[in-house]
């Protein structure tokens, strides 16, 4: 049995209770060493075999899984954040399906949630933005044509960019070509929830400079939009005058 588990964004106590239990029961752990906090391995079983996937190919990862299956052992494949985002789990699951090896998936706290917590922000403010676009800048890994950053930027909603810290000059251009004003608030969140976390607030036109000045080159998220500003309407849900399924509003 293979368990795909989201490790959370960094802090070792941000893994789920289920994830931590399965991790503690594993005979084999394959973890994404470039981003997963190694402190998560501290609770492993004695004799547990540990592999860092950072230097492994898909084929090598699958071979470790297969070998564990042949021995009747349990494998945990530990991915950073939530495995459904830029986690390359689909190709692993499809290969396991072809070989009749069973698996399940335990979600994790994604770094975009960790970044919101670090910013003490709400991505979906009433009247400001009710949508969050999660995307990345096209680099060595292409992005489908219809998802060019400038096209997505045209919505003017909250955006969270993964995997784009090395491309910030182009990010600035694309965001502005899509319609964000140069002074639209933005923030770079480096290593959200890790002890070395850094939050750098800036604007759409100062992203590259801000990253340079703070020597941030990777493991950061770029957040963009007026959710980082100070103007918004309060929610209907908690408005005394608003009636909904669980509460009757007071008039006057
Ligand atoms: N599945 C992960 C994302 C993996 S892609 C998740 O749900 O978070 C790797 C990218 O995620 C990094 O390049 C960076 O953009 C972002 N990232 C991962 N952990 C981060 C953290 N703690 N703080 C800021 N960004 C992070």
């Amino acid at each position: 049995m293979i368990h795909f588990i989201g490790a959370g964004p960094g802090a070792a106590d941000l893994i789920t209770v289920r994830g931590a239990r399965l991790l503690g029961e594993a005979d084999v752990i394959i973890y994404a060493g470039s981003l997963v906090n190694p402190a998560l391995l501290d609770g492993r079983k004695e004799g547990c075999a540990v592999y860092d996937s950072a230097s492994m190919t898909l084929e090598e990862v699958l071979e470790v899984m297969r070998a564990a299956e042949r021995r009747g052992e349990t494998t945990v494949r530990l991915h950073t954040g939530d495995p459904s985002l830029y986690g390359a789990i689909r190709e692993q699951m499809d290969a396991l399906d072809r070989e009749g090896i069973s698996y399940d998936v335990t979600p994790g706290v994604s770094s975009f949630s960790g970044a919101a917590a670090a910013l003490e922000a709400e991505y979906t403010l009433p009247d400001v933005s009710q949508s969050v676009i999660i995307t990345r800048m096209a680099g060595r890994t292409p992005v489908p044509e219809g998802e060019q950053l400038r096209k997505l930027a045209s919505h003017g909603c909250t955006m969270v960019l993964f995997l784009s810290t090395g491309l910030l000059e182009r990010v600035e251009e694309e965001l502005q070509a899509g319609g964000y004003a140069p002074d639209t608030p933005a923030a770079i969140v480096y290593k959200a929830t890790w002890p070395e976390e850094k939050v750098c607030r800036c604007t759409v036109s100062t992203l590259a400079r801000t990253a340079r000045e703070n020597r941030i080159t990777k493991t950061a998220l770029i957040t963009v939009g007026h959710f980082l500003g100070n103007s918004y309407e309060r929610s209907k849900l908690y408005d005394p005058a608003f009636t909904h399924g669980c509460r009757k509003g007071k008039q006057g």
Side-chain angles (χ1 to χ4, degrees):
M1 180 73 178
I2 318 289
H3 301 289
F4 292 95
I5 295 177
D13 57 353
L14 283 177
I15 190 170
T16 64
V17 174
R18 185 192 299 176
R21 177 176 57 78
L22 292 170
L23 200 57
E25 291 169 4
D27 302 300
V28 176
I29 298 172
I30 310 169
Y31 77 113
S34 55
L35 283 167
V36 168
N37 190 340
L40 279 166
L41 304 176
D42 291 351
R44 69 185 184 273
K45 242 173 34 179
E46 219 181 286
C48 171
V50 176
Y51 296 84
D52 179 354
S53 63
S55 59
M56 294 166 77
T57 62
L58 170 63
E59 287 70 16
E60 287 166 344
V61 166
L62 289 170
E63 191 42 48
V64 170
M65 290 176 174
R66 265 184 223 115
E69 285 298 301
R70 284 195 293 268
R71 297 190 298 268
E73 293 179 350
T74 299
T75 301
V76 160
R77 175 72 170 105
L78 193 59
H79 284 271
T80 181
D82 183 79
S84 71
L85 289 169
Y86 310 107
I89 58 165
R90 174 66 189 268
E91 60 194 24
Q92 299 173 67
M93 295 189 293
D94 282 352
L96 296 175
D97 281 339
R98 283 193 294 273
E99 298 179 31
I101 297 175
S102 48
Y103 58 84
D104 61 15
V105 184
T106 300
V109 178
S110 175
S111 58
F112 82 87
S113 298
L119 287 161
E120 296 177 345
E122 179 178 348
Y123 288 136
T124 54
L125 285 175
D127 281 23
V128 173
S129 180
Q130 289 291 287
S131 312
V132 183
I133 294 182
I134 289 173
T135 188
R136 64 178 296 167
M137 180 76 212
R140 286 209 299 161
T141 304
V143 167
E145 174 64 24
E147 297 170 30
Q148 276 180 358
L149 196 52
R150 65 177 63 198
K151 290 189 184 162
L152 299 180
S154 70
H155 296 281
C157 66
T158 300
M159 293 189 81
V160 180
L161 272 62
F162 284 71
L163 298 158
S164 304
T165 319
L167 303 163
L168 289 180
E169 269 89 10
R170 277 174 55 210
V171 167
E172 284 183 11
E173 280 169 31
E174 289 289 301
L175 291 174
Q176 291 176 75
Y180 285 104
D183 63 351
T184 307
I188 304 172
V189 184
Y190 170 73
K191 292 201 103 174
T193 83
W194 290 76
E196 56 271 45
E197 170 187 289
K198 232 187 216 179
V199 173
C200 303
R201 292 174 195 264
C202 58
T203 67
V204 157
S205 60
T206 58
L207 280 165
R209 196 181 76 206
T210 305
R212 228 176 7 254
E213 285 172 0
N214 289 279
R215 295 195 183 79
I216 298 173
T217 55
K218 57 178 186 176
T219 327
L221 288 174
I222 313 305
T223 66
V224 179
H226 288 286
F227 78 97
L228 290 163
N230 293 319
S231 141
Y232 64 94
E233 289 293 316
R234 59 176 281 178
S235 71
K236 293 274 185 237
L237 187 61
Y238 297 107
D239 179 342
F242 191 70
T243 297
H244 59 72
C246 299
R247 184 170 57 78
K248 188 156 167 32
K250 289 194 189 72
Q251 295 311 312

